[in-house]
Amino acid sequence: MAGRARGVLASTVAASPVWPPRVRTRLLRLLGVRTDGSARVLPWIRFVGGVSHLVLGRGCFVNVGLTVGANAAVTVGERVHLGPGVSLLPSTHDLGPSRQRAAAVTAAPIAIGDGAWLGAGVTVLGGVRVGAGCVVAAGALVAADTEPDCVYAGVPARLVRRLEEVPAPAGGAGHSAAPVPASP
């Protein structure tokens, strides 16, 4: 089955709210998304083009309305949480002449580090690496790499504060970050 056809099936059949999250994840894997199966994907995921460039890490949570662009790898690390309406867009256009400013399509990979949390409506552009344990505030536009264990917000996203690593709760596993108390 051609990549674009898989993208259409993933954006319609697999994206339907009739499936529980774990079934949707299995359907997406059958269509070409690379995941170990422990990821949970909520409805209305949309693919621009094919699906084989998307990798979802172990324990990843994808809220409703994720949009995934095409033409370059999009890697979402382990235990990453993506809020509603997140867009991961690795493609853009070169700048053309005034008669048509959107010239040739270019693309660069996106990588979201383990344990990161992207809030509602975040957009990540091609060529960006979001650091492990990073928090990106709702509505932010991430156009440049972020440092690990920091909070970013705004358009374009900028560093707001640094976070410290805290031990996982008893019986829990994985990276956890808590805010550093504000200076008096």
Side-chain angles (χ1 to χ4, degrees):
M1 177 183 323
R4 194 165 299 280
R6 283 189 212 141
V8 169
L9 286 172
S11 297
T12 55
V13 176
S16 171
V18 302
W19 310 114
R22 300 246 187 244
V23 171
R24 182 173 302 101
T25 302
R26 281 187 229 127
L27 289 170
L28 291 170
R29 190 175 42 222
L30 288 170
L31 291 168
V33 172
R34 289 173 283 161
T35 181
D36 74 351
S38 67
R40 290 187 315 138
V41 180
L42 296 188
W44 303 304
I45 187 170
R46 294 180 307 253
F47 290 88
V48 179
V51 299
S52 62
H53 57 281
L54 178 61
V55 177
L56 297 175
R58 183 171 36 102
C60 178
F61 173 75
V62 177
N63 211 320
V64 298
L66 173 68
T67 299
V68 182
N71 302 326
V74 176
T75 305
V76 179
E78 295 183 0
R79 299 171 314 281
V80 169
H81 282 227
L82 301 178
V86 166
S87 295
L88 305 175
L89 306 173
S91 298
T92 187
H93 294 270
D94 286 334
L95 187 59
S98 61
R99 63 181 162 71
Q100 181 178 331
R101 291 294 183 195
V105 174
T106 62
I110 292 173
I112 312 296
D114 294 347
W117 172 24
L118 279 59
V122 167
T123 299
V124 180
L125 300 180
V128 168
R129 295 184 63 84
V130 174
C134 187
V135 176
V136 181
L141 171 67
V142 187
D145 292 355
T146 68
E147 295 178 45
D149 297 315
C150 291
V151 176
Y152 284 79
V155 177
R158 67 190 189 301
L159 177 65
V160 174
R161 68 178 169 179
R162 299 185 187 287
L163 302 171
E164 65 183 33
E165 187 171 339
V166 295
H175 179 91
S176 177
V180 175
S183 301

